Amino acid sequence: MRVDALDAHALRRRLRGPGLRLRTGPVLNNIRSPLEAVARGIALHYAAHPVEDEGFADFHVSVERPFGPRRWWRPQVLFKIDGASPFTPLPGDQGFPILEWGLNWCLTGLYHRFLTLHAAVLERHGRALVLPAPSGSGKSTLCAALALSGWRLLSDELALIDPATGLIHPLPRPVSLKNASIEIVRRFAPSARFGPPVHETVKGTVVHMSPPAEGVARAAEPARPGWIVLPRWAAGQPAQLQPLPKAQALMRLIENAFNYNVHGLAGFERLARMVDDSACHRFSYARLEEAVPVFDALAGRAGAA
């Protein structure tokens, strides 16, 4: 069963009761929340995701109001895992963003089945495009545009690399867009589904974009590494793809690995093999209309090889 098979009442009953057992790629989350903003966000952005009624849940999480006066006066929201809150409350209108950030925190801090990188990942012709980059680099903007232009979205934030096989496993969840990138992507793809803007977060104004249904439907299909590209948004600059030395690519992957220390030597060897198996580039751009054809051509050359 999918989330969109539940009517509004059934969805809220699960969220307010035993929890909604939401499957996101290899991860099963049991989510509870009495907040309407959370229910609406899940209904919109996770409509095509599977709901399961049994099986081991990797994480039991909730988004709720704290007790005390703040429940009514300047309301706040708390993210909890197993009943404990790992970080401070946020303003009351940030219920859905704190759920998304909390799920990311669970994966990066507690889930070590995979070697996990801070990177967007997309797929074409069975090969994964990995975009490791810090916030503000234009990574999510580029990721959203490619996902809306025929590339399969594996993840906007986290690359899940199987240490044994090197395959990258999908985690198709909403794409988080911030500040100026929101209108850039809206203009590029007006038909995409966007949630309401949430203002004055720690990241500025945030809007979530629903993942394309194809990526969700193919969430059990991993991809082998194909390209590692370091993106950078540069105002007024033409789209430019340049070769990147593999040693520099390896160092960037290590810098963006959340649990590299957990996997140790095996993690280093896996990332080194990933770099060896990938074409490595730097990429700068200012306009999505110029950026997307560059990646389509990159994939086309690989597909014809």
Side-chain angles (χ1 to χ4, degrees), residues 134-204:
S135 297
S137 62
K139 167 183 65 68
S140 292
T141 310
L142 180 60
C143 173
L146 292 172
L148 296 166
S149 302
W151 288 74
R152 176 166 65 108
L153 176 68
L154 273 65
S155 178
D156 166 47
E157 285 286 341
L158 303 175
L160 303 181
I161 305 166
D162 188 322
T165 66
L167 295 175
I168 302 177
H169 287 250
L171 187 72
R173 289 176 39 210
V175 177
S176 177
L177 299 170
K178 300 175 284 295
N179 304 316
S181 68
I182 298 168
E183 286 307 313
I184 292 173
V185 176
R186 282 189 191 274
R187 289 196 301 269
F188 180 81
S191 62
R193 292 186 302 166
F194 299 92
V198 180
H199 304 287
E200 298 182 359
T201 78
V202 293
K203 299 182 179 183

Side-chain angles (χ1 to χ4, degrees), residues 215-240:
V216 179
R218 297 174 60 190
E221 299 178 27
R224 61 188 177 92
W227 307 274
I228 298 168
V229 179
L230 309 185
R232 181 177 66 89
W233 184 84
Q237 298 297 312
Q240 187 174 23

Side-chain angles (χ1 to χ4, degrees), residues 92-152:
D93 63 343
Q94 298 183 25
F96 188 73
I98 202 174
L99 172 64
E100 289 297 297
W101 298 331
L103 292 176
N104 286 343
W105 181 89
C106 291
L107 284 164
T108 59
L110 304 174
Y111 194 72
H112 301 307
R113 171 185 168 188
F114 299 103
L115 178 59
T116 304
L117 307 182
H118 182 214
V121 192
L122 303 108
E123 176 268 339
R124 181 73 72 83
H125 304 308
R127 301 179 69 186
L129 165 66
V130 180
L131 303 169
S135 297
S137 62
K139 167 183 65 68
S140 292
T141 310
L142 180 60
C143 173
L146 292 172
L148 296 166
S149 302
W151 288 74
R152 176 166 65 108

Side-chain angles (χ1 to χ4, degrees), residues 5 27 35 46 70 85 100 126 150 172 174-175 181 197 212 226 232-233 244 249 253 266 271 274 276:
V27 183
L35 305 182
Y46 288 97
R70 277 299 181 93
S85 181
E100 289 297 297
V175 177
S181 68
R232 181 177 66 89
W233 184 84
L244 175 70
L253 293 185
L271 291 181
M274 180 174 164
D276 285 340

